[in-house]
Amino acid sequence: MLIEKIAAAAIPAVIALCGVLMLVSKKPLFDAFVGGAKSGMQTAFGLFPTLCVLFCAVSMFQSSGLAEPIAGILSKLGVPDELAPFLVMRPISGSGSIAMLADIFKSSGPDSASGLAASVIMASSDTMFYVVSVYYSSAGIKKPRYTMAAAFIVMMITTISAIILTQILL
């Protein structure tokens, strides 16, 4: 198809255009590129300890078995059984919640109430622990104060809204 050929040529074309602009321009674009890459590497190196701690904490949470009782409480509150583990995982792990979303699609289908609610939650929320830790680490903020409480409230609002909205629209 034409769109696939255009998509396949887009990235090499952009790289070639950047190269040509670096050669033709009177400004030191290559030096700016190298400086940006160096800055990016310094940021990544600064974030590494935070990400390492975060990944260890997520792994410990998953291994502890604490997710199952929390999912059981959510099920007792009326959340569908296949959606409850997803709701526990979403604020913690992006890749884990994507895997659970795929499981919901396999078991209930993407057009089911659980599949639609999980899709809306996936699109309207993010992994709050990851976002807060990475943003605060990169900005050098040591005390997040009320950020986690606010992120948790927003997560609850988006989750409840997604469940109610999909129930209304089905």
Side-chain angles (χ1 to χ4, degrees), residues 12-77:
V14 169
I15 292 172
L17 178 65
C18 289
V20 168
L21 288 175
M22 283 184 197
L23 292 172
V24 174
S25 178
K26 305 262 189 228
K27 297 178 183 177
L29 294 180
F30 183 75
D31 294 338
F33 177 77
V34 171
K38 182 179 178 183
S39 174
M41 291 299 289
Q42 288 172 344
T43 301
F45 184 72
L47 289 177
F48 182 74
T50 302
L51 292 175
C52 187
V53 169
L54 183 65
F55 290 146
C56 289
V58 167
S59 178
M60 289 171 54
F61 177 76
Q62 290 172 338
S63 299
S64 72
L66 186 61
E68 289 83 16
I70 295 172
I73 292 169
L74 289 173
S75 293
K76 289 179 183 175
L77 293 174

Side-chain angles (χ1 to χ4, degrees), residues 132 136 141-152:
V132 169
Y136 277 32
I141 298 171
K142 301 291 183 201
K143 296 182 181 180
R145 303 213 189 266
Y146 303 109
T147 305
M148 287 308 295
F152 183 74

